């Protein structure tokens, strides 16, 4: 059995070594040293070079190294075989850590205290409401969003979630679809985005959406936390909203263009926390175990897990 690793911009050797160690019968190749293309049955990809997958006539399954698959679906010549995305407890746990950390950073005003510390200023009192007075809204109630709301709930926040299909989750106010968006935003002080990038979500974190957020919350203004995808956000609108008070603060892990260009005004904005698309990075060995397990399932004739719905794009 042959598996091809076809990735741009990330190290591949760890995946190759890990897969070989887990399954000695697997012939692992790394693009462009692919050998005979006809024998390749599986592909493991992240931003695969366009057109490569279409050149593999025996391809049965594509595995995405990430939970998000926009980087694979953007290949105009993507072959018609199942695309399996990465779902893993370690990835989920780390995303929830990021979400809780950043909700707390803004709630407990750590940017402001950091600035006061840099001026050696002892100022005990900046208004900090209790978690139970703050309304957090999570966009995307999939694998990552559901875990994040569970963990935020333990901290005591008032929680709501928004997704494409209606959900029912104990203790979480659930909104869905276009009609649910307005009321969801109107009750949200801290907005967390864990949505995939699809034609339906592109550009939605824009001025219109920001202006729908609650303006009567206990913080100086609404907060945006985006760890979904950068193509959802309109950075010019976010900057403008930060400057005119439509937003009080933001944590951004993903950007319209990555790496975020040095000239972006987001870098220097006092109320913005920037992380370099590392809210939750897929662990190499966890990916290898996941892929080896899925291949074994497939070879036994069992259904693959976490197959992407190509009609929805996630
Ligand atoms: P899932 O596919 O499990 O969940 C996606 C959620 O988004 C679902 O609840 C879905 O609704 C909802 N959704 C999709 N489209 C729409 C829409 N048009 N309107 C409303 N809701 C919508 O994905 P995961 O939770 O596993 O991952 C989410 C995203 O997180 C990934 O696609 C990736 O972009 C990003 N990510 C970022 C990382 C980082 O380090 N920054 C790391 C890993 C992932 P429904 O439930 O109705 O289907
Ligand atoms: C992912 C990511 O989609 O790392 O897993 O962004």
């Amino acid at each position: 059995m042959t598996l091809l690793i076809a990735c741009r911009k990330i190290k591949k050797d760890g995946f190759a070594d890990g897969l070989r160690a887990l399954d000695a019968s697997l012939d692992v190749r790394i693009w462009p040293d692919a050998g005979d293309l006809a024998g390749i049955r599986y592909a493991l990809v992240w931003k695969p070079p366009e057109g490569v997958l279409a050149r593999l006539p025996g391809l049965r399954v594509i595995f995405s190294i990430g939970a998000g698959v926009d980087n694979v679906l953007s290949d105009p010549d993507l072959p018609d075989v199942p695309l399996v995305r990465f779902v893993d407890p370690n990835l989920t746990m780390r995303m929830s850590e990021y979400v809780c950390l950043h909700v707390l950073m803004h709630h407990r005003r750590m940017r402001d205290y950091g600035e006061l510390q840099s001026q050696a200023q002892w100022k005990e009192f900046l208004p900090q409401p209790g978690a139970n007075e703050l309304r957090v809204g999570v966009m995307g109630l999939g694998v990552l969003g559901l875990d994040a709301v569970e963990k935020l709930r333990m901290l005591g926040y008032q929680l709501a979630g928004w997704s494409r299909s209606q959900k029912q989750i104990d203790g979480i106010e659930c909104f869905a679809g276009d009609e649910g968006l307005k009321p969801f935003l109107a009750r949200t002080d801290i907005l967390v985005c864990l949505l995939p990038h699809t034609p339906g979500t592109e550009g939605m974190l824009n001025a219109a959406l920001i202006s729908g957020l609650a303006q009567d919350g206990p913080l100086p203004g609404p907060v945006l936390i985006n760890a979904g995808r950068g193509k959802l956000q309109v950075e010019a609108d976010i900057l403008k909203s930060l400057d005119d008070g439509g937003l009080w603060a933001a944590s951004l892990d993903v950007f319209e263009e990555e790496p975020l260009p040095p000239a972006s005004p987001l870098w220097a904005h006092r109320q913005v926390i920037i992380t370099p698309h590392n809210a939750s990075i897929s662990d190499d060995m966890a990916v290898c175990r996941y892929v080896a397990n899925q291949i074994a399932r497939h070879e036994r004739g069992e259904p693959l897990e976490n197959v992407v719905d190509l009609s929805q794009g996630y």
Side-chain angles (χ1 to χ4, degrees):
M1 261 177 327
T2 305
L3 176 141
L4 178 68
I5 301 177
C7 307
R8 279 179 289 160
K9 298 188 181 166
I10 59 167
K11 290 205 179 98
K12 298 128 198 136
D13 291 344
F15 296 115
D17 294 345
L19 282 165
R20 287 181 189 123
L22 287 168
D23 183 352
S25 72
L26 203 57
D27 174 6
V28 182
R29 302 181 193 160
I30 302 179
W31 182 265
D33 297 324
D36 172 25
L37 298 185
I40 292 168
R41 208 188 313 215
Y42 299 104
L44 175 63
V45 302
W46 175 258
K47 301 186 178 160
E50 279 182 10
V52 164
L53 298 172
R55 292 170 58 192
L56 310 177
L59 189 64
R60 300 257 190 94
V61 185
I62 303 169
F63 296 104
S64 162
I65 286 170
V69 289
D70 45 335
N71 72 88
V72 187
L73 296 177
S74 57
D75 182 342
D77 299 317
L78 196 67
D80 185 17
V81 299
L83 168 60
V84 172
R85 69 192 196 91
F86 184 49
V87 174
D88 175 73
N90 180 279
L91 181 95
T92 305
M93 176 178 69
R94 290 204 269 170
M95 181 57 86
S96 293
E97 289 165 6
Y98 171 92
V99 170
C100 292
L101 170 71
H102 286 263
V103 166
L104 282 163
M105 287 278 278
H106 297 293
H107 165 198
R108 299 303 301 262
R109 307 194 67 153
M110 289 310 293
R111 291 297 275 182
D112 295 329
Y113 281 110
E115 184 135 332
L116 290 168
Q117 179 177 349
S118 71
Q119 300 158 7
Q121 274 207 57
W122 182 276
K123 187 167 174 185
E124 277 173 40
F125 187 72
L126 291 175
Q128 295 189 31
N132 63 345
E133 295 169 67
L134 265 179
R135 297 162 294 181
V136 180
V138 177
M139 301 180 92
L141 291 173
V143 175
L144 301 181
L146 283 176
D147 193 69
V149 289
E150 288 306 330
K151 288 178 179 155
L152 289 166
R153 186 186 5 210
M154 287 182 225
L155 292 171
Y157 293 103
Q158 294 177 38
L159 284 162
W162 181 75
S163 51
R164 204 166 52 80
S165 57
Q166 184 66 48
K167 310 267 185 274
Q168 289 206 321
I169 310 169
D170 270 358
I172 316 281
E173 208 179 344
C174 292
F175 298 86
D178 290 346
E179 66 289 0
L181 185 58
K182 204 171 161 193
F184 165 75
L185 295 171
R187 54 71 62 208
T188 293
D189 303 312
I190 299 184
L191 181 67
V192 177
C193 176
L194 291 174
L195 289 170
H197 173 214
T198 68
T201 62
E202 183 163 320
M204 71 179 298
L205 300 177
N206 57 21
L209 178 141
I210 292 167
S211 70
L213 288 166
Q215 289 289 346
D216 59 351
L219 293 176
V223 174
L224 169 66
I225 298 172
N226 184 17
R229 278 291 183 264
K231 296 276 188 231
L232 272 72
Q233 72 200 18
V234 179
E235 285 163 16
D237 289 5
I238 292 173
L239 279 159
K240 188 164 179 305
S241 307
L242 285 162
D243 291 340
D244 68 19
L247 272 181
W248 172 55
S251 285
L252 304 175
D253 182 60
V254 288
F255 301 90
E256 287 174 17
E257 183 186 341
E258 294 180 9
L260 180 64
S264 169
L266 286 168
W267 283 111
H269 202 290
R270 210 184 139 264
Q271 284 306 99
V272 179
I273 301 176
I274 298 223
T275 47
H277 196 146
N278 67 353
S280 183
I281 289 180
S282 303
D283 174 72
D284 285 13
M285 263 327 279
V287 171
C288 293
R289 280 192 295 272
Y290 179 79
V291 170
N293 179 43
Q294 295 276 344
I295 290 177
R297 289 177 67 93
H298 188 65
E299 294 291 328
R300 288 195 300 265
E302 293 169 23
L304 293 159
E305 295 167 315
N306 305 308
V307 176
V308 171
D309 177 349
L310 296 179
S311 68
Q312 295 302 334
Y314 70 94

